[in-house]
């Protein structure tokens, strides 16, 4: 590969999938951010930590293709253990045609139709939690809320243990086959027959997202077989990541009581606070492309046929694009410009729903909780793809 490179990116001796780096990613993210682009021998892949470079990569699908997978492993090679994402793991024009249909399923008007349901379920959950006082922010708030509402929105039955295990497995397999993903596979294995049955056409409730995907296939708007694939994508992409986004936001708001007080005094800041939480601590760690040819990215020349990952926790604190990047500010202007949901043709098509769900539960808490208090140290999960506290001990002070 060295013969093909004129100006090579710096080499970083990090393995971002090592458990110690997963649990404490800050040194790795800072190194990638400072480099802009780097090469990781541990993964045989490039890493992007600069905003300009990330935007260039995300919009240039001729040089940086999604057709080899948006995870670390090349989906065109044998032995892949996860289902592919028919929507995201392709390039325009195929991607554009599929996305147009899925955008109608997840349109702003359809999501607005769910808002009354989301608000009511959030109100009921917060009332119940206030009676307890001490809760786990991940399990009792984020997981409980998303399990409740996503079952209704997607139109499939999602019991807690199998839903969490299967989603966890699918997302962990976006990274390498390592000890983390092997544990996730072992935990999910007993539940795979349930999952394969739950997402079938006959079990899709009328009007839910899964039903609408199957309808689009039946009407010829989606290719044969894509309806079932979209059901997998809805669960894999819209479940753990939203739980993580809510849990990360709760942790940040508990750590910054003055920012919580600002939301209490001005609840119209909640959408901006959500954008800021996603910028500051994005739920997805990374997304990949593959170089199709020798190409220049930023100041560096890259070799062809090499995976390249955009590490969102690095990019979203790029000081060239964000003033005070390491400060959490719920009124920050431009926080939505972070790449927590990607950018370019492949930006997350489900982000409207994810933000609506997050806004519903945060708003319900803002109305009735005077203070969020951390009562212990948050414990992050070892997860290849998602940044999420597995335990988030909180006390909810009513007011």
């Amino acid at each position: 590969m060295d013969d093909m490179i004129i100006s090579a990116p710096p080499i970083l001796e990090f393995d971002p999938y090592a458990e110690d780096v997963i649990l404490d990613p800050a040194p790795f993210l800072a190194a990638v951010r400072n480099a802009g682009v780097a090469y990781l021998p541990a993964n045989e892949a490039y890493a992007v930590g600069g905003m300009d470079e990330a935007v260039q990569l995300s919009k240039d699908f001729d040089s940086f293709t999604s057709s080899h997978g948006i995870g670390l492993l090349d989906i065109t090679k044998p032995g892949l253990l996860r289902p592919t994402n028919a929507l995201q793991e392709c390039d325009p024009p195929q991607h554009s045609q599929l996305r147009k249909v899925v955008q109608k399923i997840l349109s702003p008007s359809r999501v607005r139709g769910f808002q009354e349901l989301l608000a009511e379920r959030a109100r009921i959950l917060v009332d119940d939690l206030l009676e307890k006082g001490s809760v786990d922010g991940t399990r009792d708030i984020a997981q409980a809320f998303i399990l409740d509402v996503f079952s209704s929105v997607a139109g499939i039955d999602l019991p807690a243990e199998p839903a969490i295990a299967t989603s966890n497995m699918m997302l962990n397999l976006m990274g390498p086959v390592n000890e983390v993903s092997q544990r996730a596979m072992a935990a999910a294995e007993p539940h795979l027959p349930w999952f394969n049955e739950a997402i079938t056409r006959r079990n899709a409730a009328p009007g839910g997202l899964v039903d609408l995907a199957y309808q689009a296939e039946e009407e010829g708007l989606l290719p044969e077989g894509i309806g079932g694939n979209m059901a997998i994508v809805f669960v894999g992409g819209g479940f753990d990541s939203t739980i993580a986004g809510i849990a990360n936001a709760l942790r940040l708001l508990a750590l910054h009581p003055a920012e919580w007080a600002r939301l209490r005094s001005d609840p119209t800041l909640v959408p901006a606070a959500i954008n800021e939480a996603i910028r500051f601590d994005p739920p997805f760690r990374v997304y990949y492309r593959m170089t199709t040819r020798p190409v220049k990215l930023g100041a560096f020349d890259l070799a062809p046929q090499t995976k390249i990952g955009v590490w969102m926790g690095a990019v979203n604190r790029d000081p060239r694009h964000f003033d005070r990047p390491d400060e959490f500010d719920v009124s920050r202007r431009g926080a939505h410009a972070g790449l927590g949901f990607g950018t370019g043709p492949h930006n997350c098509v489900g982000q409207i729903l994810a933000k609506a769900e997050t806004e519903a539960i945060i708003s319900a808490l803002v109305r009735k909780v005077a203070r969020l208090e951390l009562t212990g140290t948050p414990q992050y999960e070892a997860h290849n793809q998602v940044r999420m506290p597995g335990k988030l001990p909180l006390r909810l002070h009513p007011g």
Side-chain angles (χ1 to χ4, degrees):
M1 187 171 72
D2 292 340
D3 293 338
M4 306 176 69
I5 296 178
I6 300 169
S7 179
I11 293 173
L12 295 180
E13 298 295 344
F14 283 93
D15 178 2
Y17 297 101
E19 291 196 40
D20 59 332
V21 180
I22 291 174
L23 297 176
D24 181 18
F28 164 69
L29 295 174
V32 175
R33 185 183 307 117
N34 290 336
V37 182
Y39 183 72
L40 306 179
N43 307 133
E44 297 182 345
Y46 296 113
V48 175
M51 177 66 78
D52 290 339
E53 294 85 352
V55 170
Q56 177 188 338
L57 173 150
S58 300
K59 294 183 177 180
D60 182 2
F61 52 85
D62 288 327
S63 302
F64 304 97
T65 181
S66 298
S67 64
H68 287 254
I70 57 174
L72 175 63
L73 303 182
D74 187 342
I75 66 172
T76 69
K77 294 184 177 179
L80 189 71
L81 297 176
R82 65 173 176 86
T84 57
N85 184 324
L87 175 63
Q88 294 284 54
E89 296 185 316
C90 64
D91 297 314
Q94 179 186 356
H95 171 265
S96 304
Q97 295 164 353
L98 295 175
R99 185 182 177 94
K100 183 177 180 180
V101 177
V102 177
Q103 277 182 316
K104 288 184 178 179
I105 295 173
L106 287 163
S107 68
S109 61
R110 193 177 304 280
V111 172
R112 283 195 295 272
F114 294 129
Q115 285 182 327
E116 185 176 338
L117 166 73
L118 299 177
E120 178 62 13
R121 299 281 181 86
R123 182 192 65 77
I124 292 170
L125 177 61
V126 170
D127 285 346
D128 289 344
L129 293 175
L130 282 171
E131 293 184 7
K132 295 181 179 180
S134 294
V135 302
D136 184 295
T138 300
R139 183 190 66 242
D140 298 328
I141 300 178
Q143 279 184 4
F145 181 63
I146 295 302
L147 275 167
D148 181 24
V149 299
F150 195 75
S151 291
S152 299
V153 170
I156 56 175
D157 185 29
L158 290 174
E161 185 179 358
I164 291 167
T166 51
S167 176
N168 192 316
M169 179 197 73
M170 286 188 285
L171 288 173
N172 266 296
L173 286 170
M174 298 293 287
V177 179
N178 56 6
E179 290 186 9
V180 173
S181 58
Q182 287 171 343
R183 289 198 298 266
M185 285 190 288
E189 186 176 5
H191 305 295
L192 294 181
W194 161 83
F195 180 73
N196 292 331
E197 175 64 20
I199 62 171
T200 58
R201 181 69 178 98
R202 60 182 170 273
N203 286 320
L209 300 181
V210 173
D211 174 58
L212 294 173
Y214 279 117
Q215 282 187 38
E217 179 185 333
E218 290 157 1
E219 293 168 5
L221 301 174
L222 291 174
E224 185 177 352
I226 298 297
N229 185 269
M230 287 300 98
I232 294 172
V233 169
F234 289 153
V235 175
F239 190 67
D240 267 16
S241 59
T242 310
I243 292 170
I246 294 170
N248 290 343
L250 292 173
R251 183 187 73 88
L252 289 167
L253 289 165
L255 285 170
H256 298 85
E259 299 302 287
W260 181 257
R262 292 177 72 188
L263 294 187
R264 293 270 293 171
S265 63
D266 184 3
T268 65
L269 287 174
V270 168
I274 292 168
N275 285 333
E276 173 69 344
I278 292 169
R279 180 200 71 83
F280 194 91
D281 202 359
F284 273 128
R285 301 179 70 213
V286 61
Y287 62 88
Y288 284 87
R289 302 289 184 264
M290 178 177 274
T291 56
T292 60
R293 56 195 177 197
V295 60
K296 195 173 191 69
L297 183 63
F300 303 109
D301 292 282
L302 309 184
Q305 301 302 308
T306 307
K307 279 296 183 100
I308 178 166
V310 175
W311 290 88
M312 288 174 274
V315 171
N316 283 359
R317 299 200 202 180
D318 186 340
R320 296 174 296 176
H321 283 263
F322 297 103
D323 183 40
R324 303 170 290 111
D326 294 322
E327 291 184 24
F328 178 67
D329 178 358
V330 298
S331 63
R332 179 186 297 273
R333 292 185 176 183
H336 66 280
L339 299 191
F341 290 105
T343 191
H346 285 82
N347 71 85
C348 176
V349 72
Q351 64 180 284
I352 297 174
L353 176 59
K355 287 183 177 181
E357 292 168 330
T358 306
E359 184 175 343
I361 189 62
I362 298 295
S363 295
L365 289 163
V366 164
R367 282 192 293 271
K368 297 195 174 184
V369 176
R371 184 163 62 93
L372 289 175
E373 178 190 359
L374 272 175
T375 57
T377 302
Q379 297 178 23
Y380 274 81
E381 287 190 353
H383 198 301
N384 284 328
Q385 184 64 19
V386 173
R387 167 85 171 157
M388 174 169 61
K391 293 183 179 180
L392 182 61
L394 295 173
R395 180 174 294 279
L396 308 182
H397 295 270

